[in-house]
Amino acid sequence: MAQTLFITGASSGIGAATARAAAEAGWNTALFARSADRLRDLADELGGQALVLTGDATDAEALSDAAARCADHFGGIDAGFANAGRGLSKPGTEAGDLDDIRGMIDLNVTGVVLTARALLPHLRRSKGTLVLTGSAAGRRHIAGSIYGATKWFVHGYAGNLAEEMREWGGRCGVVAPGMVDTPFFDAGAPDKLQPQDVAAAVLQMITAPERAAIREVFLMPQQG
C-alpha cells in the first residue's frame, strides 16, 4: 500500500514541488493550505494520489480535522512536512508593521507547533517522519532579522522533536535552504535553488532507511 505524506503550505513553491516529487515516487499526498483553487489545480495534476484539505496552519482545530480526514482517507499518515511559513513585507525590528510581525511569528512558530501536535498521534502509529522547513537564516545571525529568529526556533524545535519522537521510533528533521526561486523572494537574485531541490531533500529524509535519522539537510546555491 502506498505511503502518505501530509504537507502544509502545499499550494505553491516548495510545498507544491514536494507534493509532485512524492507523487512521482508513489506516495499519496494530503495538500493543506488556504488557497482552495490552487490546491484543486495541483490535485488535478497529481490525480487520485492527492487529497485537498483547505485550512489555515495557525488553526489548531483545522489542522487536527485535516489530519484525521487524511488518515481516514488513506489509512494513515507516514510522514509530515510542516512547510507553511512567510516573511515580512518590511523587515526590521523598528521598521516592520506590528500586525505583520505578529502574523509571521504566529505562522512560522505557532503554526509549526500546531502542525506537530496534529500529526504526532498519527505518526506515532506509523513510526513516521516529520520534516520542518527551516532556513539558512536559522543557521546564522542576520542584522535585525525577526524572520531569521523564527527559523532559529524551527531548528531548535526540530532537534527537540527528534529526541521526543525517537522514544517511539519516529524521526524528525529540518530542511534548511538558502534562497529558493519562489515568490517568497524578490525577483532578480541570480542562481537561486529551485523548489525541486528542496523537495528532493525532503524525500531523502522521509525515505531514508529506518536505521538512519537525517536530522538536518542544509542546502545552498552552488554559485551566486
Side-chain angles (χ1 to χ4, degrees), residues 2-36:
Q3 292 184 297
T4 298
L5 171 63
F6 185 106
I7 305 169
T8 67
S11 61
S12 63
I14 293 169
T18 302
R20 293 185 180 101
E24 186 175 349
W27 286 63
N28 300 316
T29 56
L31 311 174
F32 184 90
R34 292 180 300 173
S35 178

PDB file of all heavy atoms in Angstrom, residues 2-36:
ATOM      1  N   ALA A   2       0.498   2.245  -0.758  1.00  0.00           N
ATOM      2  CA  ALA A   2       1.278   3.481  -0.856  1.00  0.00           C
ATOM      3  C   ALA A   2       1.319   4.201   0.483  1.00  0.00           C
ATOM      4  O   ALA A   2       0.360   4.188   1.260  1.00  0.00           O
ATOM      5  CB  ALA A   2       0.676   4.395  -1.919  1.00  0.00           C
ATOM      6  N   GLN A   3       2.438   4.834   0.752  1.00  0.00           N
ATOM      7  CA  GLN A   3       2.566   5.633   1.957  1.00  0.00           C
ATOM      8  C   GLN A   3       1.996   7.029   1.728  1.00  0.00           C
ATOM      9  O   GLN A   3       1.784   7.455   0.587  1.00  0.00           O
ATOM     10  CB  GLN A   3       4.034   5.710   2.375  1.00  0.00           C
ATOM     11  CG  GLN A   3       4.598   4.378   2.850  1.00  0.00           C
ATOM     12  CD  GLN A   3       6.020   4.517   3.348  1.00  0.00           C
ATOM     13  OE1 GLN A   3       6.919   4.862   2.596  1.00  0.00           O
ATOM     14  NE2 GLN A   3       6.221   4.243   4.626  1.00  0.00           N
ATOM     15  N   THR A   4       1.756   7.753   2.820  1.00  0.00           N
ATOM     16  CA  THR A   4       1.059   9.035   2.750  1.00  0.00           C
ATOM     17  C   THR A   4       1.877  10.136   3.402  1.00  0.00           C
ATOM     18  O   THR A   4       2.373   9.983   4.518  1.00  0.00           O
ATOM     19  CB  THR A   4      -0.315   8.940   3.442  1.00  0.00           C
ATOM     20  OG1 THR A   4      -1.118   7.967   2.746  1.00  0.00           O
ATOM     21  CG2 THR A   4      -1.031  10.278   3.424  1.00  0.00           C
ATOM     22  N   LEU A   5       1.975  11.278   2.697  1.00  0.00           N
ATOM     23  CA  LEU A   5       2.676  12.461   3.178  1.00  0.00           C
ATOM     24  C   LEU A   5       1.685  13.606   3.315  1.00  0.00           C
ATOM     25  O   LEU A   5       0.985  13.947   2.363  1.00  0.00           O
ATOM     26  CB  LEU A   5       3.786  12.842   2.197  1.00  0.00           C
ATOM     27  CG  LEU A   5       4.500  14.178   2.428  1.00  0.00           C
ATOM     28  CD1 LEU A   5       5.234  14.196   3.765  1.00  0.00           C
ATOM     29  CD2 LEU A   5       5.464  14.478   1.278  1.00  0.00           C
ATOM     30  N   PHE A   6       1.654  14.226   4.484  1.00  0.00           N
ATOM     31  CA  PHE A   6       0.800  15.389   4.777  1.00  0.00           C
ATOM     32  C   PHE A   6       1.668  16.643   4.684  1.00  0.00           C
ATOM     33  O   PHE A   6       2.683  16.750   5.368  1.00  0.00           O
ATOM     34  CB  PHE A   6       0.203  15.251   6.175  1.00  0.00           C
ATOM     35  CG  PHE A   6      -0.796  16.311   6.562  1.00  0.00           C
ATOM     36  CD1 PHE A   6      -2.144  16.013   6.598  1.00  0.00           C
ATOM     37  CD2 PHE A   6      -0.387  17.589   6.928  1.00  0.00           C
ATOM     38  CE1 PHE A   6      -3.078  16.986   6.977  1.00  0.00           C
ATOM     39  CE2 PHE A   6      -1.297  18.565   7.300  1.00  0.00           C
ATOM     40  CZ  PHE A   6      -2.652  18.261   7.329  1.00  0.00           C
ATOM     41  N   ILE A   7       1.267  17.618   3.835  1.00  0.00           N
ATOM     42  CA  ILE A   7       2.080  18.796   3.573  1.00  0.00           C
ATOM     43  C   ILE A   7       1.287  20.061   3.893  1.00  0.00           C
ATOM     44  O   ILE A   7       0.191  20.263   3.363  1.00  0.00           O
ATOM     45  CB  ILE A   7       2.511  18.861   2.096  1.00  0.00           C
ATOM     46  CG1 ILE A   7       3.227  17.586   1.675  1.00  0.00           C
ATOM     47  CG2 ILE A   7       3.396  20.084   1.838  1.00  0.00           C
ATOM     48  CD1 ILE A   7       3.445  17.492   0.162  1.00  0.00           C
ATOM     49  N   THR A   8       1.837  20.936   4.735  1.00  0.00           N
ATOM     50  CA  THR A   8       1.252  22.271   4.900  1.00  0.00           C
ATOM     51  C   THR A   8       1.974  23.247   3.974  1.00  0.00           C
ATOM     52  O   THR A   8       3.114  23.031   3.582  1.00  0.00           O
ATOM     53  CB  THR A   8       1.347  22.771   6.353  1.00  0.00           C
ATOM     54  OG1 THR A   8       2.720  22.994   6.695  1.00  0.00           O
ATOM     55  CG2 THR A   8       0.734  21.776   7.318  1.00  0.00           C
ATOM     56  N   GLY A   9       1.275  24.316   3.617  1.00  0.00           N
ATOM     57  CA  GLY A   9       1.843  25.243   2.644  1.00  0.00           C
ATOM     58  C   GLY A   9       2.034  24.568   1.303  1.00  0.00           C
ATOM     59  O   GLY A   9       3.023  24.805   0.603  1.00  0.00           O
ATOM     60  N   ALA A  10       1.058  23.741   0.920  1.00  0.00           N
ATOM     61  CA  ALA A  10       1.216  22.867  -0.247  1.00  0.00           C
ATOM     62  C   ALA A  10       0.799  23.510  -1.558  1.00  0.00           C
ATOM     63  O   ALA A  10       0.980  22.910  -2.615  1.00  0.00           O
ATOM     64  CB  ALA A  10       0.402  21.589  -0.043  1.00  0.00           C
ATOM     65  N   SER A  11       0.276  24.726  -1.528  1.00  0.00           N
ATOM     66  CA  SER A  11      -0.338  25.269  -2.739  1.00  0.00           C
ATOM     67  C   SER A  11       0.646  25.829  -3.748  1.00  0.00           C
ATOM     68  O   SER A  11       0.290  26.048  -4.903  1.00  0.00           O
ATOM     69  CB  SER A  11      -1.350  26.362  -2.362  1.00  0.00           C
ATOM     70  OG  SER A  11      -0.703  27.428  -1.678  1.00  0.00           O
ATOM     71  N   SER A  12       1.894  26.083  -3.346  1.00  0.00           N
ATOM     72  CA  SER A  12       2.869  26.667  -4.268  1.00  0.00           C
ATOM     73  C   SER A  12       4.279  26.400  -3.764  1.00  0.00           C
ATOM     74  O   SER A  12       4.476  25.840  -2.685  1.00  0.00           O
ATOM     75  CB  SER A  12       2.643  28.179  -4.414  1.00  0.00           C
ATOM     76  OG  SER A  12       2.851  28.836  -3.179  1.00  0.00           O
ATOM     77  N   GLY A  13       5.270  26.806  -4.559  1.00  0.00           N
ATOM     78  CA  GLY A  13       6.652  26.785  -4.116  1.00  0.00           C
ATOM     79  C   GLY A  13       7.150  25.425  -3.672  1.00  0.00           C
ATOM     80  O   GLY A  13       6.925  24.404  -4.334  1.00  0.00           O
ATOM     81  N   ILE A  14       7.829  25.407  -2.540  1.00  0.00           N
ATOM     82  CA  ILE A  14       8.438  24.185  -2.015  1.00  0.00           C
ATOM     83  C   ILE A  14       7.393  23.126  -1.709  1.00  0.00           C
ATOM     84  O   ILE A  14       7.588  21.941  -1.981  1.00  0.00           O
ATOM     85  CB  ILE A  14       9.272  24.511  -0.761  1.00  0.00           C
ATOM     86  CG1 ILE A  14      10.495  25.361  -1.135  1.00  0.00           C
ATOM     87  CG2 ILE A  14       9.712  23.234  -0.047  1.00  0.00           C
ATOM     88  CD1 ILE A  14      11.228  25.940   0.060  1.00  0.00           C
ATOM     89  N   GLY A  15       6.268  23.538  -1.140  1.00  0.00           N
ATOM     90  CA  GLY A  15       5.222  22.575  -0.799  1.00  0.00           C
ATOM     91  C   GLY A  15       4.676  21.860  -2.016  1.00  0.00           C
ATOM     92  O   GLY A  15       4.529  20.632  -2.020  1.00  0.00           O
ATOM     93  N   ALA A  16       4.362  22.614  -3.072  1.00  0.00           N
ATOM     94  CA  ALA A  16       3.837  22.009  -4.294  1.00  0.00           C
ATOM     95  C   ALA A  16       4.885  21.126  -4.963  1.00  0.00           C
ATOM     96  O   ALA A  16       4.568  20.036  -5.461  1.00  0.00           O
ATOM     97  CB  ALA A  16       3.362  23.094  -5.254  1.00  0.00           C
ATOM     98  N   ALA A  17       6.133  21.581  -4.975  1.00  0.00           N
ATOM     99  CA  ALA A  17       7.200  20.776  -5.579  1.00  0.00           C
ATOM    100  C   ALA A  17       7.383  19.472  -4.820  1.00  0.00           C
ATOM    101  O   ALA A  17       7.638  18.416  -5.424  1.00  0.00           O
ATOM    102  CB  ALA A  17       8.507  21.569  -5.588  1.00  0.00           C
ATOM    103  N   THR A  18       7.243  19.513  -3.505  1.00  0.00           N
ATOM    104  CA  THR A  18       7.378  18.295  -2.704  1.00  0.00           C
ATOM    105  C   THR A  18       6.219  17.347  -2.968  1.00  0.00           C
ATOM    106  O   THR A  18       6.405  16.127  -3.039  1.00  0.00           O
ATOM    107  CB  THR A  18       7.471  18.646  -1.215  1.00  0.00           C
ATOM    108  OG1 THR A  18       8.586  19.525  -1.005  1.00  0.00           O
ATOM    109  CG2 THR A  18       7.653  17.398  -0.362  1.00  0.00           C
ATOM    110  N   ALA A  19       5.027  17.893  -3.140  1.00  0.00           N
ATOM    111  CA  ALA A  19       3.881  17.049  -3.480  1.00  0.00           C
ATOM    112  C   ALA A  19       4.112  16.342  -4.813  1.00  0.00           C
ATOM    113  O   ALA A  19       3.817  15.145  -4.953  1.00  0.00           O
ATOM    114  CB  ALA A  19       2.607  17.887  -3.530  1.00  0.00           C
ATOM    115  N   ARG A  20       4.635  17.063  -5.780  1.00  0.00           N
ATOM    116  CA  ARG A  20       4.914  16.453  -7.090  1.00  0.00           C
ATOM    117  C   ARG A  20       5.973  15.352  -6.972  1.00  0.00           C
ATOM    118  O   ARG A  20       5.836  14.267  -7.552  1.00  0.00           O
ATOM    119  CB  ARG A  20       5.367  17.520  -8.078  1.00  0.00           C
ATOM    120  CG  ARG A  20       4.293  18.533  -8.444  1.00  0.00           C
ATOM    121  CD  ARG A  20       4.759  19.490  -9.529  1.00  0.00           C
ATOM    122  NE  ARG A  20       3.717  20.450  -9.853  1.00  0.00           N
ATOM    123  CZ  ARG A  20       3.703  21.702  -9.398  1.00  0.00           C
ATOM    124  NH1 ARG A  20       4.694  22.133  -8.609  1.00  0.00           N
ATOM    125  NH2 ARG A  20       2.724  22.516  -9.718  1.00  0.00           N
ATOM    126  N   ALA A  21       7.035  15.642  -6.221  1.00  0.00           N
ATOM    127  CA  ALA A  21       8.107  14.648  -6.064  1.00  0.00           C
ATOM    128  C   ALA A  21       7.607  13.416  -5.331  1.00  0.00           C
ATOM    129  O   ALA A  21       7.957  12.280  -5.684  1.00  0.00           O
ATOM    130  CB  ALA A  21       9.285  15.273  -5.321  1.00  0.00           C
ATOM    131  N   ALA A  22       6.783  13.621  -4.311  1.00  0.00           N
ATOM    132  CA  ALA A  22       6.262  12.489  -3.549  1.00  0.00           C
ATOM    133  C   ALA A  22       5.327  11.642  -4.409  1.00  0.00           C
ATOM    134  O   ALA A  22       5.390  10.407  -4.379  1.00  0.00           O
ATOM    135  CB  ALA A  22       5.534  12.994  -2.299  1.00  0.00           C
ATOM    136  N   ALA A  23       4.460  12.308  -5.171  1.00  0.00           N
ATOM    137  CA  ALA A  23       3.542  11.568  -6.037  1.00  0.00           C
ATOM    138  C   ALA A  23       4.310  10.768  -7.087  1.00  0.00           C
ATOM    139  O   ALA A  23       3.972   9.610  -7.376  1.00  0.00           O
ATOM    140  CB  ALA A  23       2.569  12.539  -6.708  1.00  0.00           C
ATOM    141  N   GLU A  24       5.363  11.359  -7.628  1.00  0.00           N
ATOM    142  CA  GLU A  24       6.180  10.650  -8.615  1.00  0.00           C
ATOM    143  C   GLU A  24       6.847   9.422  -8.002  1.00  0.00           C
ATOM    144  O   GLU A  24       7.060   8.414  -8.681  1.00  0.00           O
ATOM    145  CB  GLU A  24       7.239  11.589  -9.190  1.00  0.00           C
ATOM    146  CG  GLU A  24       8.054  10.993 -10.323  1.00  0.00           C
ATOM    147  CD  GLU A  24       9.012  11.979 -10.944  1.00  0.00           C
ATOM    148  OE1 GLU A  24       8.911  13.193 -10.651  1.00  0.00           O
ATOM    149  OE2 GLU A  24       9.871  11.546 -11.749  1.00  0.00           O
ATOM    150  N   ALA A  25       7.148   9.512  -6.702  1.00  0.00           N
ATOM    151  CA  ALA A  25       7.771   8.394  -6.001  1.00  0.00           C
ATOM    152  C   ALA A  25       6.755   7.371  -5.496  1.00  0.00           C
ATOM    153  O   ALA A  25       7.129   6.398  -4.836  1.00  0.00           O
ATOM    154  CB  ALA A  25       8.601   8.907  -4.833  1.00  0.00           C
ATOM    155  N   GLY A  26       5.462   7.610  -5.798  1.00  0.00           N
ATOM    156  CA  GLY A  26       4.435   6.642  -5.441  1.00  0.00           C
ATOM    157  C   GLY A  26       3.703   6.913  -4.144  1.00  0.00           C
ATOM    158  O   GLY A  26       2.914   6.089  -3.680  1.00  0.00           O
ATOM    159  N   TRP A  27       3.927   8.083  -3.544  1.00  0.00           N
ATOM    160  CA  TRP A  27       3.265   8.432  -2.290  1.00  0.00           C
ATOM    161  C   TRP A  27       1.892   9.046  -2.546  1.00  0.00           C
ATOM    162  O   TRP A  27       1.671   9.734  -3.554  1.00  0.00           O
ATOM    163  CB  TRP A  27       4.096   9.441  -1.519  1.00  0.00           C
ATOM    164  CG  TRP A  27       5.323   8.889  -0.858  1.00  0.00           C
ATOM    165  CD1 TRP A  27       6.406   8.332  -1.478  1.00  0.00           C
ATOM    166  CD2 TRP A  27       5.599   8.863   0.536  1.00  0.00           C
ATOM    167  NE1 TRP A  27       7.342   7.941  -0.551  1.00  0.00           N
ATOM    168  CE2 TRP A  27       6.871   8.260   0.698  1.00  0.00           C
ATOM    169  CE3 TRP A  27       4.908   9.276   1.667  1.00  0.00           C
ATOM    170  CZ2 TRP A  27       7.460   8.077   1.953  1.00  0.00           C
ATOM    171  CZ3 TRP A  27       5.490   9.097   2.914  1.00  0.00           C
ATOM    172  CH2 TRP A  27       6.744   8.505   3.060  1.00  0.00           C
ATOM    173  N   ASN A  28       0.967   8.831  -1.610  1.00  0.00           N
ATOM    174  CA  ASN A  28      -0.233   9.645  -1.516  1.00  0.00           C
ATOM    175  C   ASN A  28       0.145  10.970  -0.869  1.00  0.00           C
ATOM    176  O   ASN A  28       1.047  11.028  -0.026  1.00  0.00           O
ATOM    177  CB  ASN A  28      -1.298   8.957  -0.657  1.00  0.00           C
ATOM    178  CG  ASN A  28      -1.721   7.626  -1.202  1.00  0.00           C
ATOM    179  OD1 ASN A  28      -1.951   7.482  -2.403  1.00  0.00           O
ATOM    180  ND2 ASN A  28      -1.833   6.624  -0.333  1.00  0.00           N
ATOM    181  N   THR A  29      -0.556  12.043  -1.234  1.00  0.00           N
ATOM    182  CA  THR A  29      -0.263  13.347  -0.647  1.00  0.00           C
ATOM    183  C   THR A  29      -1.541  14.008  -0.148  1.00  0.00           C
ATOM    184  O   THR A  29      -2.559  14.018  -0.841  1.00  0.00           O
ATOM    185  CB  THR A  29       0.416  14.278  -1.661  1.00  0.00           C
ATOM    186  OG1 THR A  29      -0.410  14.395  -2.833  1.00  0.00           O
ATOM    187  CG2 THR A  29       1.790  13.766  -2.046  1.00  0.00           C
ATOM    188  N   ALA A  30      -1.466  14.555   1.054  1.00  0.00           N
ATOM    189  CA  ALA A  30      -2.531  15.391   1.604  1.00  0.00           C
ATOM    190  C   ALA A  30      -2.068  16.827   1.507  1.00  0.00           C
ATOM    191  O   ALA A  30      -1.031  17.200   2.076  1.00  0.00           O
ATOM    192  CB  ALA A  30      -2.820  15.016   3.052  1.00  0.00           C
ATOM    193  N   LEU A  31      -2.802  17.654   0.776  1.00  0.00           N
ATOM    194  CA  LEU A  31      -2.391  19.014   0.441  1.00  0.00           C
ATOM    195  C   LEU A  31      -3.160  19.999   1.306  1.00  0.00           C
ATOM    196  O   LEU A  31      -4.364  20.193   1.137  1.00  0.00           O
ATOM    197  CB  LEU A  31      -2.665  19.298  -1.039  1.00  0.00           C
ATOM    198  CG  LEU A  31      -2.155  18.243  -2.037  1.00  0.00           C
ATOM    199  CD1 LEU A  31      -2.621  18.585  -3.444  1.00  0.00           C
ATOM    200  CD2 LEU A  31      -0.643  18.130  -1.968  1.00  0.00           C
ATOM    201  N   PHE A  32      -2.463  20.646   2.237  1.00  0.00           N
ATOM    202  CA  PHE A  32      -3.107  21.566   3.181  1.00  0.00           C
ATOM    203  C   PHE A  32      -2.592  22.985   2.951  1.00  0.00           C
ATOM    204  O   PHE A  32      -1.386  23.228   2.973  1.00  0.00           O
ATOM    205  CB  PHE A  32      -2.803  21.140   4.620  1.00  0.00           C
ATOM    206  CG  PHE A  32      -3.501  21.962   5.681  1.00  0.00           C
ATOM    207  CD1 PHE A  32      -4.753  21.587   6.145  1.00  0.00           C
ATOM    208  CD2 PHE A  32      -2.908  23.106   6.203  1.00  0.00           C
ATOM    209  CE1 PHE A  32      -5.393  22.346   7.116  1.00  0.00           C
ATOM    210  CE2 PHE A  32      -3.537  23.860   7.169  1.00  0.00           C
ATOM    211  CZ  PHE A  32      -4.789  23.486   7.637  1.00  0.00           C
ATOM    212  N   ALA A  33      -3.511  23.916   2.719  1.00  0.00           N
ATOM    213  CA  ALA A  33      -3.176  25.335   2.566  1.00  0.00           C
ATOM    214  C   ALA A  33      -4.491  26.105   2.547  1.00  0.00           C
ATOM    215  O   ALA A  33      -5.580  25.520   2.558  1.00  0.00           O
ATOM    216  CB  ALA A  33      -2.365  25.596   1.292  1.00  0.00           C
ATOM    217  N   ARG A  34      -4.394  27.435   2.497  1.00  0.00           N
ATOM    218  CA  ARG A  34      -5.604  28.255   2.491  1.00  0.00           C
ATOM    219  C   ARG A  34      -6.213  28.397   1.102  1.00  0.00           C
ATOM    220  O   ARG A  34      -7.412  28.634   0.976  1.00  0.00           O
ATOM    221  CB  ARG A  34      -5.284  29.651   3.042  1.00  0.00           C
ATOM    222  CG  ARG A  34      -4.949  29.664   4.527  1.00  0.00           C
ATOM    223  CD  ARG A  34      -4.633  31.064   5.003  1.00  0.00           C
ATOM    224  NE  ARG A  34      -3.497  31.632   4.281  1.00  0.00           N
ATOM    225  CZ  ARG A  34      -3.098  32.900   4.412  1.00  0.00           C
ATOM    226  NH1 ARG A  34      -3.755  33.723   5.208  1.00  0.00           N
ATOM    227  NH2 ARG A  34      -2.061  33.337   3.727  1.00  0.00           N
ATOM    228  N   SER A  35      -5.403  28.276   0.051  1.00  0.00           N
ATOM    229  CA  SER A  35      -5.861  28.541  -1.308  1.00  0.00           C
ATOM    230  C   SER A  35      -6.505  27.295  -1.925  1.00  0.00           C
ATOM    231  O   SER A  35      -5.816  26.433  -2.479  1.00  0.00           O
ATOM    232  CB  SER A  35      -4.686  29.002  -2.179  1.00  0.00           C
ATOM    233  OG  SER A  35      -5.093  29.212  -3.496  1.00  0.00           O
ATOM    234  N   ALA A  36      -7.832  27.225  -1.843  1.00  0.00           N
ATOM    235  CA  ALA A  36      -8.543  26.047  -2.344  1.00  0.00           C
ATOM    236  C   ALA A  36      -8.344  25.866  -3.845  1.00  0.00           C
ATOM    237  O   ALA A  36      -8.171  24.738  -4.324  1.00  0.00           O
ATOM    238  CB  ALA A  36     -10.024  26.160  -2.008  1.00  0.00           C
TER     239      ALA A  36
END
